[in-house]
Amino acid sequence: MYNIAIYFYLLGVAIASLFDKKVRKMWRGERDAFDVLKREVDPCASYVWFHAASLGEFEQGRPLMERLRRRHPEYKILLTFFSPSGYEVRKNYQGADIICYLPLDTPLNAIRFLRLVRPVMAFFIKYEFWYNYLHILKHRNIPVYSISSIFRPEQIFFKWYARSYAKVLRCFTHFYVQNEISKELLAKIGITDVTVTGDTRFDRVLNIKEQSKHLPLVEAFSNGANVFVAGSSWAPDEDIFIRFFNNHPDWKLIIAPHVTDEEHLQQIEQKCSGKTVRYTRTDEQEASEARCLIIDCYGLLSSIYHYGGIAYVGGGFGVGIHNVLEAAVWNVPVIFGPNNGNFMEAQELKKAEGGFEIGSYEDFEQIMNRFIGDRKTMEKAGATAGEYVKSRSGATMRILSEVKL
């Protein structure tokens, strides 16, 4: 049934690629992957294979990749992606020797791929459970590790009607999971090669903080003012916080929207009162005189949170919030929308009172008025958020201490 479904999916992707640019990139990238591997694989080298679905999973795997590369330069690293949103952003990443798309999980593709690469071990990050690749890896006695994985009762593996498919989990040599609940769920279906190590993303955001960029233009804009930073925002998020800050001219606003196409940027500009400038179209003098700075490029957000007194992370009024840890690591309180139930770090931040959920403008107004009226409360919440990130770090070293290289 799985392989039949994969072939139907393959047909759907082929058709969708005619109409959708993103799907077309993925379709072409998967087909070109074998040419990349034939051209770049060194038959005399030993490869460690990391697979990430998209950009978020890549960031989880990155601390492990980079630590392994420093400790074991005798290995080369192959990095594969499923989604264009991961590959297109990180295709020039210097921490891997080969980067390409992962060909779709058909039996033939899996056999061809593994014959070309012949990895000595593989790391699948978080939610990656490709049936054919995993079974062939197991058949060839190649160690396979699942890192920063997290399991929930509603997942298909724990349904009575999917017991056959759940056997794919037995292909893993070991699971390094985020929490005890995941370990307990796996034990219920007989999988006990499990260690609770936490999430490597905590290590990653701490690394990012240490390597953060100095941004003179953002510094000129901030210039000692009260600054609110909104990251990865969507229109429903912007409707709330822009409305509030239009009525609070004593605060400055930095917006790094998730989508930076011209139409969206113009919509933001129309909503904002006061002088608004774009990062790539202004200079330090003009930025210092503005009330709102729009970040119309990528790669700066994790450093920009440093300039804020309060942060907002978008996506919570859509499919789900973006990375709250990038903000929390800077010792600032983090506000986000209601769709955060599947994000453990958001739940724990709320419980610790370093993160705050809103469902409406009124919720946002209440939280902001509390922070503005009592700076000590704001600073305490920020310190709590930062301490939460530090307290959950160390997963990378715990994994490497157990993996046999």
Side-chain angles (χ1 to χ4, degrees):
M1 283 297 291
Y2 175 85
N3 287 325
I4 293 173
I6 283 290
Y7 283 114
F8 273 111
Y9 176 80
L10 186 62
L11 177 62
V13 168
I15 295 171
S17 69
L18 300 173
F19 308 99
D20 187 287
K21 184 178 179 181
K22 182 177 179 180
V23 176
R24 187 158 55 249
K25 283 183 178 180
M26 182 177 73
W27 172 244
R28 290 175 177 171
E30 288 178 358
R31 288 186 298 168
D32 293 343
F34 289 114
D35 291 333
V36 172
L37 294 173
K38 287 176 185 177
R39 184 173 65 248
E40 297 189 20
V41 167
D42 179 353
C44 298
S46 296
Y47 285 90
V48 177
W49 173 26
F50 284 84
H51 176 64
S54 190
L55 187 59
E57 289 78 12
F58 163 79
E59 292 295 338
Q60 285 178 293
R62 184 170 177 170
L64 191 60
M65 269 185 279
E66 294 180 352
R67 184 82 63 166
L68 187 148
R69 195 175 183 85
R70 289 196 299 271
R71 286 188 167 193
H72 297 277
E74 68 272 22
Y75 293 118
K76 289 196 172 184
I77 291 178
L78 166 67
L79 171 62
T80 59
F81 287 98
F82 178 74
S83 168
S85 61
Y87 175 80
E88 294 299 328
V89 175
R90 295 303 182 196
K91 59 186 176 183
N92 297 316
Y93 170 60
Q94 297 300 306
D97 298 282
I98 302 174
I99 302 173
C100 64
Y101 282 92
L102 180 68
L104 198 63
D105 187 31
T106 65
L108 180 59
N109 280 349
I111 291 168
R112 287 183 66 196
F113 181 92
L114 292 170
R115 278 179 179 170
L116 282 167
V117 178
R118 299 184 182 277
V120 295
M121 68 183 67
F123 292 90
F124 281 34
I125 304 164
K126 198 173 182 179
Y127 289 135
E128 294 301 277
F129 308 106
W130 295 109
Y131 187 91
N132 291 306
Y133 283 104
L134 287 167
H135 275 84
I136 296 171
L137 284 164
K138 182 176 176 62
H139 178 72
R140 296 185 178 185
N141 295 314
I142 298 170
V144 189
Y145 303 100
S146 176
I147 64 171
S148 292
S149 46
I150 187 166
F151 293 91
R152 302 181 182 88
E154 63 269 20
Q155 286 174 302
I156 191 170
F157 308 112
F158 311 110
K159 305 297 183 183
W160 63 267
Y161 54 80
R163 288 174 183 168
S164 177
Y165 178 69
K167 291 178 182 178
V168 71
L169 299 180
R170 298 184 182 278
C171 294
F172 285 94
T173 306
H174 204 89
F175 287 88
Y176 295 100
V177 298
Q178 293 188 29
N179 57 25
E180 287 288 344
I181 294 173
S182 297
K183 183 177 181 178
E184 292 167 6
L185 285 168
L186 290 171
K188 288 180 180 179
I189 57 173
I191 295 174
T192 56
D193 290 320
V194 184
T195 304
V196 179
T197 54
D199 190 346
T200 51
R201 280 187 305 164
F202 291 92
D203 299 325
R204 176 60 188 148
V205 295
L206 286 166
N207 290 341
I208 290 172
K209 182 180 180 182
E210 291 175 3
Q211 301 164 12
S212 64
K213 301 170 184 175
H214 175 60
L215 303 172
L217 193 146
V218 180
E219 199 164 281
F221 169 81
S222 303
N223 196 26
N226 295 313
V227 178
F228 181 89
V229 178
S232 303
S233 62
W234 296 79
D237 305 302
E238 292 149 9
D239 287 339
I240 289 175
F241 62 73
I242 291 176
R243 175 183 167 188
F244 180 86
F245 287 105
N246 280 346
N247 296 318
H248 289 77
D250 52 326
W251 278 73
K252 288 193 170 188
L253 177 60
I254 300 177
I255 306 174
H258 186 74
V259 177
T260 59
D261 61 39
E262 183 62 26
E263 181 181 2
H264 188 201
L265 295 176
Q266 288 184 13
Q267 288 173 354
I268 294 172
E269 289 170 336
Q270 290 167 6
K271 293 174 184 177
C272 292
S273 64
K275 185 173 183 177
T276 301
V277 294
R278 299 188 191 182
Y279 185 86
T280 64
R281 297 185 183 182
T282 191
D283 56 32
E284 291 180 32
Q285 178 58 43
E286 186 180 34
S288 69
E289 300 166 354
R291 277 206 61 228
C292 179
L293 173 63
I294 301 173
I295 309 301
D296 56 344
C297 57
Y298 294 107
L300 302 179
L301 179 57
S302 57
S303 297
I304 286 172
Y305 282 124
H306 171 53
Y307 296 93
I310 304 172
Y312 182 96
V313 175
F317 289 92
V319 295
I321 57 172
H322 296 283
N323 191 347
V324 297
L325 300 180
E326 282 188 340
V329 73
W330 288 106
N331 300 310
V332 294
V334 186
I335 303 172
F336 40 80
N339 193 351
N340 60 70
N342 289 332
F343 299 84
M344 183 180 69
E345 63 277 13
Q347 299 302 305
E348 291 182 343
L349 269 174
K350 285 195 295 182
K351 186 176 180 180
E353 297 186 352
F356 303 85
E357 177 186 319
I358 63 163
S360 64
Y361 174 80
E362 288 72 25
D363 292 342
F364 182 80
E365 183 179 43
Q366 183 179 19
I367 291 169
M368 286 301 305
N369 285 338
R370 177 152 56 99
F371 287 151
I372 291 172
D374 186 350
R375 193 167 190 87
K376 286 186 178 180
T377 296
M378 182 177 77
E379 291 173 351
K380 181 180 178 182
T384 298
E387 183 56 36
Y388 165 73
V389 176
K390 291 178 186 176
S391 70
R392 298 299 193 277
S393 64
T396 302
M397 292 304 296
R398 285 191 285 271
I399 293 169
L400 277 178
S401 69
E402 291 197 12
V403 171
K404 295 179 181 180
L405 296 164

